[in-house]
Amino acid sequence: MLAAAVDHLAIGNWMFSAVNRDEDSPMPEAPEPIPRPGAESEPSSPDDEAEPPPSGEVNLPAPWEIARFFG
């Protein structure tokens, strides 16, 4: 939920700057969404230490994914 809040704030700031820009200036680039831990578009693991969960178990993020998310 925190990443969604940050994304919404970034979009709001981008919209404010886009609307209040000079007419002759170029449109600012839209912000990129914050990466979410466990997102499928990211590589599975930098060291291939994450294994797929057995069937029926919840897929929780690996400790390295949480650490990378918080920087």
Side-chain angles (χ1 to χ4, degrees), residues 42-66:
E42 297 178 12
S44 63
S45 170
D47 300 323
D48 292 327
E49 44 184 71
E51 297 179 10
S55 62
E57 289 189 23
V58 177
N59 187 11
L60 297 174
W64 65 267
E65 291 176 311
I66 295 171

Side-chain angles (χ1 to χ4, degrees), residues 14-53:
W14 171 74
M15 282 199 265
F16 180 81
S17 65
V19 169
N20 292 310
R21 68 184 169 86
D22 208 15
E23 288 184 15
D24 298 330
S25 64
M27 183 75 160
E29 284 190 32
E32 293 290 322
I34 300 290
R36 272 64 168 174
E40 303 223 358
S41 63
E42 297 178 12
S44 63
S45 170
D47 300 323
D48 292 327
E49 44 184 71
E51 297 179 10

